[in-house]
């Protein structure tokens, strides 16, 4: 239990109970995190703790009127009533259950696992204490003392800027902060500009990745015109640590939050005491005057409110005509900036005047919020119609380097020409490097199973959410996974007893549940297509609709000319959406069914095609609007008996409502990547169906309470994948297939386990 907490891994539950493995993980982590020395900018070695404390000292208050000018009062009285409603006991217990059990504990040393396991003993005391803070203005006491640990961002760092200061909050504080955050999360979308895509419910970080790639694709095609366009990728320095609390309070008050809620949030920050922990040695407590805690459940949302200061300045400048932004198409919305949590991309006119305006905005934002831009790490990209003299003038004024390849500085793969292969090779190298550090640790099949599913196959997920990877790349990744799965050690090839596709079948169907990378890529992209259908008012939907399908919907869109790689990728997943979408018939608006599937499991119907082919055909004509039932006589006269019976089985709502598209793979009708992937597997022509007896066997096998490596060995035996003498002889690895124990018969699977007398 101790070593599991030290390594903070899930191998004990999902892998093997190997104590030596845990010891090595913990010792390797401690070696990597050991700090030999710290050096300031002026090459002065930090010897005293007070040198580090300068990071958490405020720079003083600045006039924030200019920033607050563009922020509206958007929190209503109803929202404040929801935030201030008395917290309940059930909320506290729900919050605690959601905290990772072995996350790093605070100064008191108690992880969440302690409270979760002994809740029947300590639960009432913890609940009363937390509710006293939330409802009765009780003091936090020592529970808000926080240790700061410097975790390295690069190998062998010495500069303070190359460390990430992580705050280790106590579990009791996390429960209080998470309870506040859970309520704030319900209304945070009102407060945050649509250009921010992180942490806000209903938005994805990939939304802004798609937008950034689409805009950069348009900028690269701008070869004519007098005025060029520039995109500036900003690197913000220590964003969480330098937030000025006075500015944050001004923004929150301007948005309209109630004074009682502001005071509750303020107590979370004003009562904190820090202690810097370096190489296991804990320093003295001190009180910070600025900054947010990384590790505090409330602070991601609070930081988004702080970043509204930059959005406010950009909105004001856009209204005044100082900043024009960039468009993906003529009829689409102009975008002046995109925010990715603490990262930012600004778009503007490639001129000295435009550069001065952007730099002035950033300076005003820095003076008020404390958010400092590291221009030496920032980059700028210009459209091809920008002259070299103007590029040099703007980059010198901004103090940033010019990026030749926009995808490189955006962190996106370049999907054009020779650079495409380089981007793919980096993805393969990252997978191989991760295997390189693990292949010589003699992991069992149980550990390998978890490692491939949770680590290796998760590496390309972000790229697969936005881009359609070529088949050869997916096959190459699967080849790397298969080689790692079957090999017996570093540099040893191992016997591939079956194709990787067989291992990608679900466990109940005789496989091991590994992902087919090409199919999973399509399922991930189908989610983006679903979001274009379900969220037509979102920024990413408006941009793509204006450029690629301004009149029709996504399902009926065409690929078009001069399209970007992200659009081609999303459009490629349109087919699986068409197979999985059905109409939930409400007919409140008498919507035309067209060629869309509105009768489940009915395909290639001549009568249905005839009915839907008519321009004036509506589902509403088949329904009796008074009693909300199907017009049985008309349905039976219009369709064949089998089709009519299927239509009459479709349930209708008691009250009229708009017709909506639903996903047939989920009971809720909401799209999921999991059900989409299953649908793709079902349509795979290479799949086969197991007999029910085998399916029952595998269902029982994976439910047995045994180590994973033992169950995988049983699975291998069920498919005759064990290295018996007969199997090795079949592979031409040995010449004699007789049993080495009794020598009487050949060593088959049956002989080995049942018939051999020895």
């Amino acid at each position: 239990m101790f070593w599991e907490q030290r390594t903070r891994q899930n191998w004990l539950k999902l892998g093997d109970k190997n104590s030596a493995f845990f010891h090595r993980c913990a010792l390797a982590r401690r070696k990597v995190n050991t700090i030999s020395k710290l050096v300031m900018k002026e090459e002065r070695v930090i010897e005293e703790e007070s040198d580090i404390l300068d990071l958490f000292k405020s720079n003083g208050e600045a006039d924030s009127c200019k920033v607050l000018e563009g922020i509206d009062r958007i929190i209503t009285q109803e929202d404040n009533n929801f935030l201030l409603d008395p917290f309940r006991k059930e909320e506290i217990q729900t919050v605690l259950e959601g905290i990772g059990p072995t996350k790093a504990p605070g100064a008191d040393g108690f992880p969440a696992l302690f409270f979760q396991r002994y809740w029947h003993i300590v639960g009432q005391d913890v609940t009363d204490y937390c509710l006293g803070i939330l409802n009765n203005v009780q003091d936090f006491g020592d529970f808000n003392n926080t240790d700061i640990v410097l975790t390295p961002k690069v190998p062998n760092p010495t500069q303070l800027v190359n460390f990430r200061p992580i705050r280790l909050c106590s579990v009791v504080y996390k429960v209080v902060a998470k309870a506040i955050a859970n309520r704030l999360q319900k209304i945070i979308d009102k407060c945050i500009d649509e250009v921010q895509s992180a942490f806000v419910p209903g938005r994805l970080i990939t939304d802004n990745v798609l937008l950034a790639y689409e805009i950069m694709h348009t900028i690269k095609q701008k070869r004519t015109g007098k005025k060029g366009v520039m995109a500036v990728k900003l690197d913000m320095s220590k964003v969480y640590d330098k937030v000025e609390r006075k500015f944050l309070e001004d923004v929150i008050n301007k948005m309209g939050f109630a004074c009682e809620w502001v005071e509750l949030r303020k107590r979370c920050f004003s009562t904190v005491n820090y202690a810097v922990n370096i190489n296991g040695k804990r320093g003295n407590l001190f009180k910070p005057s600025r900054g947010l805690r990384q590790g505090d459940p409330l602070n991601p949302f609070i930081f988004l409110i702080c970043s509204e200061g930059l959005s406010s300045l950009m909105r004001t400048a856009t209204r005044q005509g100082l900043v024009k932004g960039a468009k993906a198409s003529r009829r689409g919305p102009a975008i002046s900036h995109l925010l990715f949590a603490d990262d930012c991309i600004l778009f503007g006119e490639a001129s000295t005047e435009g550069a001065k305006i952007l730099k002035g905005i950033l300076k005003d934002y820095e003076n008020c919020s404390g958010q400092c831009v590291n221009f030496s790490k920032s980059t700028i990209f210009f459209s091809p119609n920008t002259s070299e003299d103007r590029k040099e003038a703007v980059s010198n004024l901004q103090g940033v380097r010019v990026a030749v390849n926009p995808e490189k500085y955006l962190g996106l793969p370049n999907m054009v020409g020779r650079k495409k292969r380089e981007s793919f090779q980096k993805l393969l190298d990252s997978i191989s490097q991760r295997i390189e550090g693990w292949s010589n640790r003699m992991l069992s099949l149980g550990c390998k199973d978890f490692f491939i599913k949770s680590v290796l196959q998760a590496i390309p997920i972000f790229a697969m959410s936005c881009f359609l990877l070529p088949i050869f790349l997916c096959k190459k990744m699967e080849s790397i996974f298969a080689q790692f799965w079957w090999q017996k050690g570093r540099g040893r090839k191992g016997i591939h007893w079956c194709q990787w596709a067989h291992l990608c079948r679900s466990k109940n169907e005789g496989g091991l549940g590994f992902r087919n990378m090409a199919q999973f890529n399509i399922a991930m992209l189908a989610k983006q297509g679903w979001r274009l259908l379900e969220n037509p008012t979102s920024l990413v939907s408006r941009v793509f609709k204006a450029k690629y399908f301004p009149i029709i919907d996504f399902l009926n869109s065409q690929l078009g000319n001069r399209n970007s790689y992200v659009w081609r990728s999303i459009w490629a997943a349109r087919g699986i959406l068409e197979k999985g979408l059905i109409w939930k018939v409400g007919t409140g608006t008498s919507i035309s069914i067209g060629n869309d599937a509105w009768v489940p499991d009915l395909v290639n119907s001549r009568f249905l095609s005839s009915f839907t082919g008519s321009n004036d055909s509506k589902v509403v004509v088949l329904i009796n609007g008074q009693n909300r039932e199907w017009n049985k006589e008309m349905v039976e006269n219009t369709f064949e008996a089998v089709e009519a019976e299927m239509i009459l089985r479709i349930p209708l709502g008691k009250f009229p409502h708009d017709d909506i598209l639903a996903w047939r793979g989920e009971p809720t009708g909401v799209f999921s990547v999991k059900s989409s992937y299953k649908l793709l597997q079902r349509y795979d022509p290479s799949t086969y169906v197991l007999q029910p007896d085998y399916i029952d066997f595998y269902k029982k096998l994976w439910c047995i309470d045994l180590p994973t490596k033992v169950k995988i060995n049983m699975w291998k035996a069920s498919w005759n994948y064990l290295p018996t003498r007969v199997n090795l002889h079949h592979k031409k690895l040995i010449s004699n297939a007789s049993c080495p124990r009794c020598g009487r018969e050949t060593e088959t699977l049956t002989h080995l386990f049942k018939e051999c007398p020895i």
Side-chain angles (χ1 to χ4, degrees), residues 496-551:
H496 292 235
W497 292 102
C498 66
Q499 294 181 347
W500 180 257
H502 180 61
L503 301 182
C504 290
R505 294 180 62 112
S506 69
K507 288 187 173 182
N508 291 342
E509 295 175 346
L512 289 178
F514 293 119
R515 291 172 185 156
N516 180 305
M517 301 306 286
Q519 292 177 351
F520 188 70
N521 189 186
I522 292 292
M524 294 290 288
L525 291 170
K527 182 177 182 178
Q528 304 294 353
W530 169 265
R531 288 176 59 79
L532 294 180
L533 288 169
E534 283 294 293
N535 305 300
T537 59
S538 66
L539 183 60
V540 64
S541 296
R542 300 203 315 268
V543 169
F544 277 90
K545 181 174 180 59
K547 185 172 184 179
Y548 295 112
F549 50 98
I551 302 175

Side-chain angles (χ1 to χ4, degrees), residues 117-128:
R117 182 160 295 181
Y118 300 107
W119 187 250
H120 61 285
I121 299 175
V122 302
Q124 190 60 48
D125 290 338
V126 174
T127 300
D128 293 342

Side-chain angles (χ1 to χ4, degrees), residues 209-416:
V209 174
L210 297 176
L211 285 173
Y213 201 97
E214 192 64 43
I215 293 175
M216 297 308 300
H217 172 77
T218 305
I219 291 177
K220 286 196 296 183
Q221 291 183 329
K222 187 175 176 59
R223 302 182 181 278
T224 59
K226 296 181 179 179
K227 296 182 180 180
V229 180
M230 64 178 176
V232 186
K233 164 70 167 60
L234 300 178
D235 181 85
M236 310 297 286
S237 177
K238 301 292 183 187
V239 288
Y240 268 64
D241 307 309
K242 295 184 178 181
V243 172
E244 293 290 345
R245 294 180 177 177
K246 178 61 171 63
F247 169 76
L248 186 58
E249 189 174 340
D250 291 340
V251 174
I252 291 175
N253 287 326
K254 183 67 185 297
M255 286 182 174
F257 285 92
C259 297
E260 296 85 351
W261 187 88
V262 175
E263 186 60 30
L264 175 61
R265 181 211 60 82
K266 189 176 179 181
R267 279 194 294 128
C268 294
F269 299 153
S270 61
T271 59
V272 64
N273 291 302
Y274 288 161
V276 181
N277 193 323
I278 297 180
N279 296 338
K281 295 180 180 179
R282 191 166 185 258
N284 298 322
L285 290 172
F286 67 94
K287 189 172 289 293
S289 55
R290 71 172 179 181
L292 301 175
R293 284 179 284 188
Q294 293 189 21
D296 186 333
L298 179 59
N299 281 344
F301 302 112
I302 298 299
F303 179 77
L304 294 188
I305 294 176
C306 174
S307 64
E308 274 300 287
L310 178 59
S311 295
S312 168
L313 291 170
M314 293 297 291
R315 285 195 301 266
T316 302
T318 302
R319 283 197 296 263
Q320 295 173 352
L322 301 176
V323 175
K324 294 184 178 179
K327 289 185 175 183
S329 61
R330 289 185 178 180
R331 58 183 90 171
I335 299 175
S336 60
H337 66 297
L338 291 173
L339 297 174
F340 307 77
D342 55 348
D343 289 329
C344 180
I345 301 177
L346 305 181
F347 302 99
E349 184 180 301
S351 63
T352 53
E353 294 79 9
K356 288 179 181 178
I357 291 170
L358 291 182
K359 196 160 188 178
I361 289 174
L362 294 174
K363 191 64 177 176
D364 292 337
Y365 180 55
E366 177 185 344
N367 292 337
C368 297
S369 67
Q371 300 295 285
C372 179
V373 179
N374 187 347
F375 286 102
S376 62
K377 290 186 178 181
S378 301
T379 44
I380 187 170
F381 173 75
F382 297 96
S383 58
N385 67 327
T386 308
S387 64
E388 293 299 325
D389 294 340
R390 184 165 290 183
K391 287 182 183 179
E392 184 177 358
V394 172
S395 60
N396 290 337
L397 181 63
Q398 293 277 34
V400 299
R401 66 180 185 271
V402 178
V404 179
N405 175 18
E407 286 81 8
K408 184 177 180 180
Y409 87 84
L410 282 175
L412 304 174
N414 191 341
M415 299 300 176
V416 181

Side-chain angles (χ1 to χ4, degrees), residues 67-82:
V67 178
L68 299 176
E69 185 181 331
I71 297 177
D72 299 325
R73 185 180 182 88
I74 47 185
I75 301 300
T76 64
Q77 184 62 43
E78 183 180 352
D79 296 330
N80 280 319
N81 292 339
F82 169 73

Side-chain angles (χ1 to χ4, degrees), residues 486 493-500 716 719-737 747:
W486 294 114
K493 190 174 182 181
I495 300 174
H496 292 235
W497 292 102
C498 66
Q499 294 181 347
W500 180 257
K716 291 174 70 176
W719 285 102
N720 195 18
Y721 291 158
L722 293 177
T724 60
R725 304 279 289 186
V726 168
N727 287 341
L728 293 177
H729 179 69
H730 180 71
K731 294 281 187 181
K732 298 182 180 180
L733 296 175
I734 59 174
S735 57
N736 183 11
E747 188 190 48

Side-chain angles (χ1 to χ4, degrees), residues 629-757:
E629 293 179 354
W630 290 103
N631 190 331
K632 185 177 181 181
E633 182 179 354
M634 185 172 185
V635 171
E636 292 176 343
N637 292 336
T638 306
F639 303 99
E640 286 188 335
V642 175
E643 298 168 350
E645 183 182 356
M646 297 180 71
I647 293 173
L648 293 174
R649 285 204 302 261
I650 299 175
L652 294 174
K654 293 182 179 180
F655 304 100
H657 58 82
D658 292 346
D659 298 341
I660 57 174
L661 279 172
W663 180 252
R664 70 171 69 188
E666 294 289 345
T668 59
V670 178
F671 177 89
S672 70
V673 175
K674 181 179 179 180
S675 59
S676 175
Y677 179 67
K678 287 183 177 179
L679 189 62
L680 283 166
Q681 285 188 311
R682 195 191 313 163
Y683 282 106
D684 189 346
S686 63
T687 58
Y688 54 89
V689 181
L690 285 180
Q691 295 181 10
D693 290 343
Y694 288 99
I695 294 176
D696 292 340
F697 165 74
Y698 287 116
K699 284 182 179 179
K700 293 176 182 178
L701 169 63
W702 298 112
C703 292
I704 300 175
D705 186 17
L706 285 173
T708 307
K709 64 179 181 181
V710 178
K711 290 189 281 188
I712 291 178
N713 232 32
M714 295 167 68
W715 171 85
K716 291 174 70 176
S718 73
W719 285 102
N720 195 18
Y721 291 158
L722 293 177
T724 60
R725 304 279 289 186
V726 168
N727 287 341
L728 293 177
H729 179 69
H730 180 71
K731 294 281 187 181
K732 298 182 180 180
L733 296 175
I734 59 174
S735 57
N736 183 11
S738 61
C739 177
R741 294 163 186 83
C742 66
R744 300 175 183 176
E745 300 179 16
T746 56
E747 188 190 48
T748 63
L749 201 65
T750 305
H751 177 82
L752 176 64
F753 285 108
K754 294 176 64 177
E755 298 173 354
C756 182

